[in-house]
């Protein structure tokens, strides 16, 4: 990241480029989906399930960055924007609307 990002509008395309590989995005989707499962279990049963929410989300995401994308997660520089973007990317993907965002960011859909 050569330039300093000062707005979320600048961050969003950067975030997508940091998730250029389809496998990275897929692992993010799996982790994000598991956060909902862990949250439901935490609400229903309480206890340690609350710990599973961030572990599921960050575990899959960081594993994807280090193992697939070979870059440093944006979470370390922009934690709130990264969290928002992860869920934004997930719901855009889930509803079939992520493609145009990837195109504008210069990311292959493959």
């Amino acid at each position: 990241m050569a330039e300093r990002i000062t707005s979320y509008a600048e961050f969003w395309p950067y975030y997508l480029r940091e998730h250029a590989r389809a496998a990275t995005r897929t692992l993010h989707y799996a982790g994000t989906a598991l956060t909902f499962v862990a949250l439901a279990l935490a609400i229903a049963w309480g206890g340690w399930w609350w710990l599973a929410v961030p572990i599921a989300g960050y575990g899959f995401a960081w594993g994807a960055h280090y193992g697939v994308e070979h870059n440093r997660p944006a979470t370390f520089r922009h934690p709130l924007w990264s969290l928002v973007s992860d869920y934004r990317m997930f719901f855009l993907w889930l509803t079939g609307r992520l493609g145009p965002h990837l195109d504008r960011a210069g990311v292959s859909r493959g």
Side-chain angles (χ1 to χ4, degrees), residues 25-89:
R25 293 190 303 273
T26 299
L27 286 168
H28 271 68
Y29 304 148
T32 301
L34 284 175
T35 66
F36 290 109
V37 172
L39 182 62
L41 291 172
I43 291 169
W45 295 339
W48 67 271
W49 286 103
W50 289 105
L51 296 174
V53 176
I55 291 170
Y58 288 120
F60 276 79
W62 292 354
H65 284 286
Y66 291 115
V68 176
E69 201 72 45
H70 305 292
N71 62 15
R72 187 171 180 227
T75 303
F76 299 132
R77 290 192 125 156
H78 301 283
L80 184 58
W81 287 349
S82 293
L83 181 63
V84 168
S85 295
D86 189 58
Y87 284 95
R88 180 180 183 187
M89 183 173 70

